Amino acid sequence: MSLSESSLWWERQWSQFLRGVSLFKDFKDEDFEKIIPKIQLVSLTRGSVLFRQGDDSPGLFIITSGRVRVVYRRINQESVEVILGPGDCLGESGVILEEKCVATVHALTSCEFLGISREDFSETLKEYPEIYLRLSQVLAHHVLQTNISRQNLGQRQAKFFAISSSLPFPERQFFSAYLGLQLQEQTRSRVLVVDMDEKFGKLASLFETQPPEIDREFVRKLNRREGAWFKTFIRRGAFGMDILSVPANRLAKESMQDIPIFLNLLRENYDIVLVHLGNVLGPHEQRVLIEVERVILVGSEEGRQEYLRLDEKMVSSVDPSQILRLWCGNSRPPGIFGDGWKWRIPWDSTVSDIVSSPEPLLKFSQLHPSSCQALERLARHLTGFSVGVAFGSGAALGYSIIGVLKVFKRERIPIDLVSGTSMGAFLAGLVAMGMEPEEMEKRAFKANREWIYGHILRDISIPHAGFFSGQSLFRIFGEYFQGKTFEDLGLPFSCVASDIESGEEVVLSKGSVTEATRASCSLPVIFTPFHREGRFLIDGGLVNPVPIRVVADMGADILIAINLTLPAADYTSGAKPGFLSSIFKALGGVKYPNVFHTLLHTLYTAEYEIAKSQLGIAHVIIQPEIKGVSWTDFGQAKSLIALGEIAAEKVVPRIKAMLPALSPFCQMPKRPDAI
């Protein structure tokens, strides 16, 4: 291409683009002829700053590809942030009004701009003053419209994920396909799966479609800045899933520089993009890693060494905090993740048979429900819809939580993370372990007053640190949790205890689940404090009776609190003495022990006030009508469970409204073409 041909190509390409920009929409052909020779193409890498507030104006910039965050900071006012994308202008007031930069511009993605320096722009205006008049008129209208609408521009950014896997072929394609399906199902959004695996076409076949062939020569000739070019390569498969197959091994080396532009085009046309990279991280794949918001690394025992190799490559390419590591298998991987709960997807050898059978995605849903639920949780976690539930303290009142769980199961409301205090900690641990609410209910009915008397009385001791040693409680919890650690559980779980010496809140999320729940249930004076890791721990209700902030810190997006606290008068109004009061009466002949009565009232009041001050961050608060029921009335399981069901049913519509997969207001509409 000669210099004159190149110049004509440049003018045709960018004059056409600029005609779609509001700032230049009224310009005439002769105006563009005067402006375009001054324009330069400017590139900016992700995370860079174009200019800062207070700097001298560098010029006018029009975004052609990518997204930026514009931050306005004003004295004695909160900062204002807006997201801008292709076609938006930056620096207008600086070049026309000769002001300093009024905002700081951060590149959220790799970006390209058409830029004209302040000096070149000023010279052009002096030479052609009629442009200045026209541009000033346009700017006045543009600024007015910007002040009105900028707060709403681009706030919903596309979510971009890349996934690499050490699973064997074709299980790695199947994993990405099912995750893409869940991203679509859980969000009801426009989702695109981009298959860059070297094994061409397998992922698309899982959605019963066949991608068109792509060769290097064809890709080389494409103008990647024109948004419609890849429309012909997208296939709409089963379940309405869009697939784009672009094998990395068919891309030329020179196409590396176009990957950010290509990905930005996808951002503008889809809500969620999942790029499947396979098990190779070559130059093209590593360039993709730099551009995405989150990288998913999938490991398995069979591919352990390959997983470690992929991990090493990823860490060298992206910030380690961007990497979400998860493991496919039926046990946690020793020596891979270290301590703490990590993502584990139940997975076994039968999956490979399903992948090669007809309708594999449907069969997987039917034959591997626990794997499907884990992938649903992963999709919600990635897209900001994970549900966290905080189970409040309340001893026998905790039976009402079982009623809440029954309603959640019936209404298909998911639980992704759990935290709990005291009795709530015990029940949250059972949920994390995978126990169904029907089984909890069955066991609760067995734990009648006589059963509890028989177990508790074994523990009675001369009051030293508590009336009961807690050994029987520890043994009972051990029978439920069977030696499991937090890392063995199917859900992230944390429980709260109190350090009796320092008064600090202690969040337990590692080690023995039995020990942690026993510590959280150590009602002061009643049970002996539990010694764990050098601390004497007592009931967590003294510092955090409804640990909603704990589940928020765990990463939950939708926060649900089950609050069992009430003013002390509401607990005892109309209530019969509980079983502990009866025990004291039998032992000492006192009708209703003043010390016990005083202790419970003190705890009731303290926990109620603490809970009231902490529940503000919850999106939904479930408050069973437990007025008049005592903490110690373990013989009321049936009625308390029913009260929990009634309370949960009242808030079901509010919870579903926040979950696109369940909300009648968020159902996926008939989608227009993605492009």
Side-chain angles (χ1 to χ4, degrees), residues 179-251:
L179 178 58
L181 186 63
Q182 285 306 318
L183 289 170
Q184 178 173 273
E185 176 65 21
Q186 298 301 318
T187 65
R188 303 293 184 180
S189 300
R190 297 172 301 163
V191 176
L192 174 69
V193 175
V194 181
D195 183 11
M196 294 186 70
D197 201 313
E198 295 184 347
K199 305 222 176 193
F200 180 72
K202 177 60 181 177
L203 197 152
S205 69
L206 293 169
F207 291 100
E208 302 173 14
T209 186
Q210 181 63 37
E213 290 288 336
I214 294 179
D215 57 42
R216 292 187 179 184
E217 186 60 28
F218 184 82
V219 173
R220 185 181 291 111
K221 293 179 180 179
L222 291 173
N223 178 4
R224 266 77 69 191
R225 292 184 178 85
E226 292 183 2
W229 71 264
F230 58 91
K231 182 177 181 180
T232 55
F233 295 100
I234 290 177
R235 291 294 180 264
R236 176 72 53 85
F239 310 105
M241 179 60 67
D242 286 353
I243 312 292
L244 175 60
S245 299
V246 188
N249 60 353
R250 302 189 186 186
L251 300 178

Side-chain angles (χ1 to χ4, degrees), residues 290-512:
I290 296 173
E291 296 299 322
V292 301
E293 286 76 39
R294 201 75 186 271
V295 181
I296 305 163
L297 177 59
V298 184
S300 67
E301 190 59 43
E302 184 178 354
R304 174 185 285 257
Q305 294 306 314
E306 188 169 326
Y307 170 88
L308 295 173
R309 177 184 61 80
L310 292 171
D311 194 356
E312 185 178 358
K313 276 199 167 186
M314 280 189 179
V315 171
S316 66
S317 301
V318 299
D319 186 332
S321 64
Q322 292 178 249
I323 303 173
L324 175 62
R325 298 172 176 84
L326 54 89
W327 194 258
C328 286
N330 293 323
S331 61
R332 63 186 294 262
I336 293 289
F337 290 135
D339 294 332
W341 193 94
K342 299 294 180 181
W343 281 98
R344 180 176 63 83
I345 311 295
W347 203 265
D348 58 44
S349 58
T350 61
V351 175
S352 61
D353 298 329
I354 294 175
V355 172
S356 57
S357 66
E359 298 185 325
L361 295 169
L362 287 176
K363 284 187 177 178
F364 184 70
S365 299
Q366 297 165 357
L367 299 177
H368 291 270
S370 60
S371 303
C372 295
Q373 290 170 5
L375 284 165
E376 290 170 11
R377 287 196 294 271
L378 177 61
R380 288 191 293 271
H381 170 74
L382 291 170
T383 54
F385 291 106
S386 62
V387 178
V389 185
F391 293 8
S393 62
L397 304 179
Y399 283 148
S400 61
I401 294 175
I402 300 175
V404 174
L405 296 174
K406 288 178 65 178
V407 172
F408 276 25
K409 181 179 179 180
R410 184 173 68 242
E411 299 293 336
R412 299 185 301 114
I413 295 173
I415 298 178
D416 300 312
L417 309 99
V418 286
S419 66
T421 298
S422 196
M423 181 64 162
F426 172 62
L427 293 172
L430 296 181
V431 171
M433 191 175 67
M435 184 177 288
E436 297 293 340
E438 293 79 9
E439 179 63 21
M440 296 183 199
E441 182 178 43
K442 180 180 177 182
R443 298 195 182 198
F445 289 162
K446 287 183 179 180
N448 55 28
R449 181 171 298 196
E450 289 72 24
W451 183 91
I452 294 174
Y453 280 179
H455 285 75
I456 294 296
L457 284 174
R458 293 181 189 176
D459 266 358
I460 200 160
S461 62
I462 298 173
H464 175 60
F467 284 105
F468 303 98
S469 67
Q471 290 302 312
S472 291
L473 189 65
F474 186 82
R475 185 179 64 256
I476 293 168
F477 286 2
E479 291 172 359
Y480 277 89
F481 296 115
Q482 301 176 348
K484 292 185 181 296
T485 66
F486 283 83
E487 294 79 8
D488 298 323
L489 301 176
L491 292 181
F493 163 53
S494 294
C495 63
V496 176
S498 309
D499 187 320
I500 195 171
E501 295 179 325
S502 67
E504 295 176 333
E505 175 183 343
V506 180
V507 178
L508 305 171
S509 59
K510 296 180 182 179
S512 167

Side-chain angles (χ1 to χ4, degrees), residues 532-569:
R532 189 174 191 264
E533 297 180 355
R535 289 185 168 196
F536 288 97
L537 302 177
I538 58 174
D539 197 297
L542 296 175
V543 290
N544 197 345
V546 191
I548 191 66
R549 292 189 182 276
V550 173
V551 81
D553 291 341
M554 292 167 65
D557 303 297
I558 297 170
L559 304 176
I560 302 174
I562 305 177
N563 180 29
L564 307 179
T565 68
L566 290 171

Side-chain angles (χ1 to χ4, degrees), residues 30-248:
E30 56 266 28
D31 295 330
F32 283 116
E33 292 176 3
K34 299 164 186 174
I35 288 287
I36 285 179
K38 304 286 187 179
I39 290 178
Q40 296 180 337
L41 190 62
V42 179
S43 298
L44 200 64
T45 59
R46 182 183 177 195
S48 303
V49 174
L50 181 64
F51 51 74
R52 296 186 181 277
Q53 184 172 345
D55 290 351
D56 290 334
S57 172
L60 175 70
F61 299 90
I62 302 99
I63 305 170
T64 64
S65 176
R67 293 261 169 172
V68 301
R69 183 175 73 249
V70 184
V71 182
Y72 302 84
R73 299 192 185 279
R74 298 183 175 90
I75 298 175
N76 298 326
Q77 294 185 22
E78 293 184 2
S79 62
V80 178
E81 296 189 11
V82 294
I83 309 298
L84 301 180
D88 289 316
C89 298
L90 301 161
E92 314 98 313
S93 59
V95 296
I96 296 177
L97 305 177
E98 298 186 355
E99 295 179 347
K100 291 185 179 292
C101 298
V102 297
T104 301
V105 179
H106 303 268
L108 293 175
T109 68
S110 290
C111 298
E112 279 193 348
F113 310 86
L114 293 181
I116 179 169
S117 70
R118 182 175 177 176
E119 292 76 15
D120 285 343
F121 202 82
S122 297
E123 290 180 7
T124 303
L125 294 181
K126 290 177 182 177
E127 188 173 354
Y128 305 102
E130 66 274 15
I131 294 180
Y132 180 85
L133 177 62
R134 190 172 296 117
L135 193 60
S136 297
Q137 293 171 343
V138 173
L139 178 64
H141 176 74
H142 179 69
V143 169
L144 178 63
Q145 291 301 111
T146 297
N147 289 336
I148 295 173
S149 63
R150 243 180 184 172
Q151 292 298 317
N152 299 318
L153 287 176
Q155 293 299 323
R156 186 182 181 186
Q157 300 179 66
K159 295 183 181 294
F160 227 101
F161 310 113
I163 181 169
S164 184
S165 170
S166 69
L167 286 169
F169 179 85
E171 289 178 42
R172 63 174 180 261
Q173 278 85 355
F174 181 82
F175 187 98
S176 294
Y178 198 85
L179 178 58
L181 186 63
Q182 285 306 318
L183 289 170
Q184 178 173 273
E185 176 65 21
Q186 298 301 318
T187 65
R188 303 293 184 180
S189 300
R190 297 172 301 163
V191 176
L192 174 69
V193 175
V194 181
D195 183 11
M196 294 186 70
D197 201 313
E198 295 184 347
K199 305 222 176 193
F200 180 72
K202 177 60 181 177
L203 197 152
S205 69
L206 293 169
F207 291 100
E208 302 173 14
T209 186
Q210 181 63 37
E213 290 288 336
I214 294 179
D215 57 42
R216 292 187 179 184
E217 186 60 28
F218 184 82
V219 173
R220 185 181 291 111
K221 293 179 180 179
L222 291 173
N223 178 4
R224 266 77 69 191
R225 292 184 178 85
E226 292 183 2
W229 71 264
F230 58 91
K231 182 177 181 180
T232 55
F233 295 100
I234 290 177
R235 291 294 180 264
R236 176 72 53 85
F239 310 105
M241 179 60 67
D242 286 353
I243 312 292
L244 175 60
S245 299
V246 188

